[in-house]
Amino acid sequence: MRAGVRAGERAAVRVPAPQGGSWTSEVLRTDDALDRVAEEWDDLFGRCRTATPFQAAGWLCSWWRHYGTPGALVVVLVRRDGRLVGAAALRRRGPFGGLTNLGAGLVDFTDVLLDEGCADRAAAELAAALPLRRPWHSLELREVHPEAAVQKVFAAWSGRRHRFADSLCQYLPAVPMEELLKRLPGKTAQRSRVKQRKIAESGVEVRATAPEEVAEAVRGLLRLHFEQWQDRGVTPEHRAPRFAAHLTESTTALVATRRAAMHRYWLDGELVAVNLLVLCPSFGGLYMYGAHPRLRERLDIAGLLFGVALDEVRDAGVPVLSLLRGQEPYKQRWRPDQLSNQRLVLGPGRLAPFAAARAARVRLRGAAVHLLRTRLPRVKEALAARRLG
């Protein structure tokens, strides 16, 4: 092993760069790799237009600490003249060299980081550095925005590549509430205005959360989230201690760097709601909230949360309020714009059977979901008709 290279890592490869300087790439495989590069990772984050809070070092390091499998981390780095200009955080999945993104079901957007000043070349270098050499290797990335930086890596990839639709995300323009209400049909808008007046007259006090208050705010959020959903089915992971630990650690880091905001809502001296909003230059996203069931009986929860979130993103100069993934009824009432994320699958060379097989499974699963969504309501209607007949 060469001096200065740790076991489980690949040495940097230097390639002369056009117009002077040099490019280097390396693949780190130690469990502390993200922690070691966190400072320069976040410096690159600030130079990547498409970066979301889910690509911030604080979020990724926290997720890996609480959810990662020891020995499975793969961090790909590209530098120009020693400065980090491209980065990807991946993890091994399965015994055959399969790679995927960090975050699993907790992430709404997956991406890599590319310096805007040399994004095309950095994407090509990052694609060349991906450890996908054997026919049984593959890389699958979930929840990729159509304009994500990794789309440049996908375009630069010379092997097999496949693109599929993934989760549907929804968006609202970051405009004053009264302007947002103009998007709604007449009667719906009228009812919403009445609800907004009721919120204004309710006496609800909204308090922003400082970094040192995040742990307490997260405890309140999770308690209210459970109370809110306990009769309708709570997502099991949201009750897991590791989720609470990750949410506390990652949110503290994001709030401290103004990449997230937490708002706590008080009524008659009681904490009645907590909302977590993630922030980046392109959008502010409603990530998670908890509200006391009694509050729902008195006020329009969505109208309450959306109003404060709109003010937050507008003050930050952010153009869009994202409702992130999901098509819950409370989102649909606001007539949001819709855009599907994508799932990208890469494999080496023309002969990439595992990547092709992975793509086939994704295609079949997508077809099955579409079939259920389109045919199941018809089957239910037919069965109901037969029972009535």
Side-chain angles (χ1 to χ4, degrees):
M1 182 174 66
R2 291 173 51 189
V5 180
R6 295 190 181 191
E9 297 185 11
R10 194 180 75 188
V13 178
R14 294 192 172 274
V15 180
Q19 303 171 353
S22 63
W23 291 79
T24 66
S25 63
E26 60 182 329
V27 178
L28 308 182
R29 301 179 186 274
T30 57
D31 290 335
D32 65 344
L34 283 170
D35 291 314
R36 289 165 48 202
V37 300
E39 185 174 349
E40 58 178 337
W41 186 286
D42 262 356
D43 181 62
L44 173 58
F45 181 98
R47 292 178 275 120
C48 182
R49 177 182 57 84
T50 66
T52 79
F54 304 110
Q55 283 77 60
W59 198 95
L60 291 170
C61 291
S62 172
W63 188 91
W64 180 254
R65 267 190 285 276
H66 298 290
Y67 286 90
T69 301
L73 183 62
V74 178
V75 177
V76 187
L77 305 173
V78 172
R79 292 186 174 86
R80 183 181 186 182
D81 294 330
R83 189 187 197 193
L84 189 65
V85 294
L90 309 171
R91 61 186 172 92
R92 286 193 294 108
R93 178 184 57 190
F96 299 109
L99 296 174
T100 190
N101 52 278
L102 271 59
L106 302 182
V107 64
D108 289 84
F109 296 104
T110 289
D111 205 355
V112 301
L113 299 181
L114 298 175
D115 189 318
E116 290 296 317
C118 54
D120 290 337
R121 176 64 189 272
E125 294 290 336
L126 192 59
L130 290 174
L132 303 175
R133 301 288 183 266
R134 306 298 184 187
W136 53 86
H137 289 169
S138 66
L139 168 62
E140 180 181 9
L141 300 176
R142 298 291 310 271
E143 309 301 352
V144 176
H145 190 279
E147 297 181 0
V150 76
Q151 298 285 2
K152 290 182 178 291
V153 178
F154 183 84
W157 182 249
S158 59
R160 291 184 67 99
R161 54 188 183 182
H162 310 267
R163 178 185 279 118
F164 307 95
D166 213 333
S167 299
L168 184 70
C169 290
Q170 306 192 88
Y171 304 85
L172 292 171
V175 297
M177 177 59 75
E178 181 55 36
E179 189 172 339
L180 189 65
L181 293 178
K182 293 178 181 178
R183 296 167 58 96
L184 308 183
K187 290 185 177 180
T188 303
Q190 185 177 358
R191 287 194 295 269
S192 295
R193 289 188 179 93
V194 171
K195 292 176 180 179
Q196 284 296 307
R197 286 196 294 270
K198 191 173 181 181
I199 290 171
E201 297 167 358
S202 67
V204 171
E205 180 186 358
V206 183
R207 303 177 193 172
T209 302
E212 61 272 16
E213 300 171 324
V214 167
E216 179 185 357
V218 167
R219 287 193 292 271
L221 186 157
L222 294 176
R223 174 177 59 80
L224 291 169
H225 186 77
F226 172 72
E227 293 177 0
Q228 167 191 338
W229 291 103
Q230 61 181 335
D231 294 332
R232 291 172 284 175
V234 179
T235 301
E237 185 58 33
H238 290 169
R239 301 194 64 184
R242 65 177 182 177
F243 178 74
H246 164 59
L247 194 63
T248 300
E249 181 180 343
S250 62
T251 303
T252 299
L254 293 177
V255 170
T257 54
R258 304 191 70 178
R259 292 168 184 160
M262 290 194 79
H263 298 104
R264 287 181 283 181
Y265 300 76
W266 301 79
L267 185 59
D268 299 330
E270 180 184 4
L271 181 68
V272 292
V274 183
N275 186 39
L276 172 56
L277 180 74
V278 294
L279 296 165
C280 61
S282 57
F283 72 88
L286 293 161
Y287 184 68
M288 187 177 185
Y289 78 96
H292 198 288
R294 288 199 305 272
L295 185 63
R296 187 178 302 279
E297 300 170 2
R298 299 177 58 177
L299 298 175
D300 174 22
I301 302 298
L304 175 65
L305 302 182
F306 284 16
V308 174
L310 284 169
D311 289 342
E312 183 76 36
V313 297
R314 289 174 60 237
D315 288 346
V318 175
V320 171
L321 177 64
S322 174
L323 310 184
L324 302 182
R325 295 177 296 163
Q327 302 180 59
E328 295 88 341
Y330 79 88
K331 296 179 181 179
Q332 302 306 107
R333 176 166 65 89
W334 296 84
R335 302 296 193 272
D337 300 320
Q338 299 181 337
L339 184 65
S340 288
N341 282 343
Q342 297 175 0
R343 184 185 304 200
L344 307 182
V345 180
L346 304 179
R350 294 184 178 181
L351 296 175
F354 277 71
R358 188 74 191 173
R361 286 196 294 272
V362 172
R363 188 179 293 110
L364 288 172
R365 188 161 53 243
V369 170
H370 175 74
L371 185 64
L372 285 173
R373 287 177 177 172
T374 56
R375 295 289 181 86
L376 189 58
R378 299 177 187 175
V379 171
K380 289 182 176 178
E381 289 176 4
L383 290 174
R386 288 184 63 179
R387 285 196 296 268
L388 291 174

